[in-house]
């Protein structure tokens, strides 16, 4: 019976494949990106790939750019608006009062019948 520390399915000399068996690795280029919170991200790209101008910071999620002195500004989050807020943007208070008066007039007329 084999020892309890042996890993099943392995043999002596079995190890990770080297480049001789896998082939040559593609040439890489490492590019640093800087976010507004001061985090640095350095992904690697294939040497012949197009390098993006911005990259999402994996630590905080803000956009990161290649210029350390002026990283991209955080995106501006619009606050949640209710349906009433959107209606108030489209109509003035006078329009709202006129529509309300018209609806109340129809309601009163239907109750008199």
């Amino acid at each position: 019976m084999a020892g309890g520390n042996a890993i099943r399915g392995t043999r002596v000399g079995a190890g990770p494949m080297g480049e001789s068996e896998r082939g040559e690795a593609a040439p890489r280029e490492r590019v640093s990106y800087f976010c507004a919170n001061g985090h640095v991200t350095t992904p690697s790209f294939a040497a012949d790939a197009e390098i993006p101008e911005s990259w999402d910071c994996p630590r905080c999620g803000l956009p990161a750019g290649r210029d350390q002195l002026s990283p991209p500004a955080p995106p501006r989050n619009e606050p949640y608006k209710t349906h009433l807020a959107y209606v108030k943007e489209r109509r003035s208070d006078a329009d709202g009062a006129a529509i309300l008066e018209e609806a109340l007039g129809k309601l009163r007329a239907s109750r008199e019948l």
Side-chain angles (χ1 to χ4, degrees), residues 28-79:
R28 294 279 187 195
E29 180 180 350
R30 295 187 67 81
V31 179
S32 295
Y33 291 93
F34 307 92
C35 75
N37 287 339
H39 302 136
V40 180
T41 305
T42 311
S44 63
F45 298 95
D48 59 348
E50 185 177 333
I51 309 290
E53 288 298 318
S54 66
W55 194 260
D56 289 337
C57 178
R59 291 183 65 191
C60 61
L62 292 177
R66 291 203 240 165
D67 186 7
Q68 184 176 8
L69 300 177
S70 61
R76 195 172 141 223
N77 291 334
E78 295 291 328

Side-chain angles (χ1 to χ4, degrees), residues 77-94:
N77 291 334
E78 295 291 328
Y80 175 76
K81 288 186 183 179
T82 63
H83 175 69
L84 181 60
Y86 283 110
V87 170
K88 286 183 176 182
E89 282 182 2
R90 291 191 314 259
R91 303 198 188 270
S92 67
D93 290 340

